[in-house]
Amino acid sequence: MEPHHPSMHGVLRLIVTLDGEDVVDCEPILATMFTEAITVNGPEQLGNIQVPKRASYIRVIMLELSRITSHLLWLGPFMADIGAQTPFFYIFRERELVYDLFEAATGMRMMHNYFRIGGVAVDLPYGWLDKCLDFCDYFLTGIVEYQKLITRNPIFLERVEGIGVIGGEEAINWGLSGPMLRASGIKWDIQKVDHYECYDEFD
Amino acid sequence: MNYGHQTVLAVRYIGQGFMITLSHANRLPVTIQYPYEKLITLECFRGRIHFEFDKCIACEVCVRVCPIDLPIVDWKFETDIRKKRLLNYNIDFRICIFCGNWVEYCPTNCLSMTEEYGLSTYDCHELNCNQIALGRLPMSVIDDYTIRTILNSIQRKTQ
């Protein structure tokens, strides 16, 4: 089922029952990717351990950077499946910058091993925040570029507009959450609602 | 929208996209020619493990902290001096995940992680290192005069 589903090739495996050419039954097997924050938050809540504010903010920054990288990594093969091969290389250029940031803080580019029960493993190095802000400024120009390339591109619009529309009610019935639910028009941000880390203080 | 209008819009947006491709000619290259040019990794990089045989007290904390219980610590309790004596220490780099957990926990600081990351060999059994192989000093990229080192910096790439 791989080439037809937009997730990155290999993440989602569907066992499909066929009847001639029609798909009769479909069982998804998700290779769920847990972030380290969940494994650490569990024992912290059980043991009533307070996390210092600074550590909480550092964790949020790391999680958001990981989220940016994973969304970039979604975008690459998505455009490649539609037919545009170049955004695939552009995302790796942005991801390299984030890898460098991670390497400076945690020691490894992707598998950080940074979250510990009660905070983070080590504090951020001295100039890290400035580099991070530089990355954010650069990334804004990168997004402008992506917008110019992708958002109005008539080929992209032809292939994507109007396909796979899910209404608000249907989204709740199916149990969707995250960007798909927000795109269906319902205002729901699980990070704010669930008091995850210190997302409450953000706008 | 009529067809003419659509065509004009299409040309305009595709032209915009093409200008981006052309603007790349004005930028510095993002890639490096790997075997001849290498990036300098940071000090905290979790590369190959370095082990100091003399400092180890065979406490086996590293085995307990390791998520897969990887290090093989071979020790014997010497009854005459009433201390543990370390005979052999082994790590299998085929299985090691380079998590770096034990560097925090070793009580005598005999473990550290070097900057080497190119550990591939033709024979996988060469990666099963004992204490002598682990005690090798790392091959520093900066000292190697055949390789041109590139400093990893965000400014270089954002120009």
Side-chain angles (χ1 to χ4, degrees):
Chain A
M1 250 322 247
E2 273 194 52
H4 296 275
H5 195 280
S7 63
M8 174 94 175
H9 295 233
V11 168
L12 182 64
R13 202 176 120 212
L14 298 167
I15 300 183
V16 170
T17 332
L18 295 170
D19 173 22
E21 278 247 337
D22 300 326
V23 177
V24 167
D25 184 28
C26 177
E27 267 180 55
I29 298 179
L30 288 173
T32 42
M33 301 198 274
F34 291 115
T35 61
E36 328 172 325
I38 301 179
T39 45
V40 164
N41 272 341
E44 278 174 12
Q45 284 186 359
L46 282 175
N48 279 332
I49 302 175
Q50 290 292 331
V51 178
K53 263 292 173 206
R54 188 186 158 96
S56 193
Y57 275 104
I58 294 178
R59 282 192 198 171
V60 165
I61 296 178
M62 289 293 167
L63 283 175
E64 289 301 317
L65 281 175
S66 311
R67 175 182 306 176
I68 292 179
T69 54
S70 96
H71 282 269
L72 278 175
L73 192 59
W74 162 78
L75 186 66
F78 181 59
M79 300 306 297
D81 289 340
I82 291 188
Q85 310 290 339
T86 43
F88 196 76
F89 299 105
Y90 293 169
I91 54 166
F92 282 113
R93 187 184 54 190
E94 261 88 39
R95 276 176 66 112
E96 281 290 321
L97 297 176
V98 182
Y99 287 162
D100 293 340
L101 281 175
F102 283 152
E103 192 183 340
T106 75
M108 203 47 139
R109 285 144 61 97
M110 250 174 103
M111 302 292 155
H112 319 152
N113 200 15
Y114 191 52
F115 290 30
R116 300 275 186 269
I117 297 179
V120 281
V122 283
D123 196 2
L124 302 171
Y126 179 51
W128 199 86
L129 274 180
D130 301 322
K131 289 277 174 166
C132 198
L133 290 171
D134 286 343
F135 166 72
C136 293
D137 297 331
Y138 173 67
F139 194 60
L140 280 176
T141 63
I143 292 191
V144 166
E145 220 181 70
Y146 283 134
Q147 279 202 324
K148 277 201 220 164
L149 268 179
I150 299 175
T151 332
R152 298 291 178 80
N153 202 339
I155 306 177
F156 179 71
L157 286 178
E158 293 264 320
R159 289 208 63 169
V160 157
E161 202 169 350
I163 298 181
V165 179
I166 305 182
E169 299 252 327
E170 216 181 319
I172 300 184
N173 285 340
W174 279 79
L176 297 177
S177 77
M180 299 213 277
L181 189 56
R182 286 198 281 277
S184 309
I186 300 176
K187 237 179 131 135
W188 174 266
D189 184 1
I190 198 166
Q191 292 156 341
K192 285 229 177 111
V193 173
D194 218 5
H195 296 292
Y196 193 67
E197 301 280 344
C198 61
Y199 276 106
D200 312 357
E201 300 169 18
F202 294 128
D203 171 5
Chain B
M1 288 198 272
N2 65 352
Y3 188 64
H5 196 205
Q6 265 182 333
T7 326
V8 165
L9 275 180
V11 169
R12 204 175 114 203
Y13 291 126
I14 294 188
Q16 224 178 27
F18 199 63
M19 292 318 294
I20 294 187
T21 315
L22 284 184
S23 77
H24 273 100
N26 215 10
R27 302 190 199 182
L28 292 175
V30 185
T31 54
I32 60 171
Q33 310 293 324
Y34 174 67
Y36 311 113
E37 298 176 3
K38 286 191 187 171
L39 289 174
I40 303 178
T41 55
L42 297 167
E43 279 174 23
C44 54
F45 185 71
R46 305 206 296 255
R48 179 182 69 82
I49 293 162
H50 178 82
F51 171 73
E52 296 279 341
F53 186 80
D54 303 314
K55 295 188 192 168
C56 181
I57 54 172
C59 62
E60 296 209 3
V61 168
C62 47
V63 181
R64 283 175 273 168
V65 163
C66 180
I68 27 183
D69 293 347
L70 187 61
I72 300 180
V73 191
D74 193 10
W75 55 268
K76 201 172 76 121
F77 188 65
E78 301 272 315
T79 45
D80 43 354
I81 50 175
R82 303 240 250 142
K83 277 201 177 128
K84 288 185 191 169
R85 190 161 75 99
L86 184 66
L87 299 165
N88 272 317
Y89 189 90
N90 229 328
I91 298 198
D92 196 348
F93 281 124
R94 288 172 292 173
I95 313 178
C96 175
I97 59 176
F98 298 99
C99 62
N101 271 340
W102 59 355
V103 178
E104 292 175 48
Y105 287 95
C106 178
T108 51
N109 278 330
C110 68
L111 290 169
S112 56
M113 303 200 82
T114 62
E115 54 174 350
E116 281 183 28
Y117 48 85
L119 291 177
S120 38
T121 54
Y122 283 108
D123 180 13
C124 67
H125 297 288
E126 280 178 26
L127 289 175
N128 198 351
C129 298
N130 74 344
Q131 71 273 16
I132 300 175
L134 288 175
R136 290 193 300 244
L137 286 176
M139 313 262 294
S140 161
V141 175
I142 305 177
D143 291 339
D144 193 351
Y145 45 78
T146 56
I147 296 181
R148 186 171 148 215
T149 51
I150 310 256
L151 189 59
N152 225 354
S153 72
I154 291 197
Q155 270 105 22
R156 188 186 75 91
K157 289 175 188 155
T158 54
Q159 253 137 34

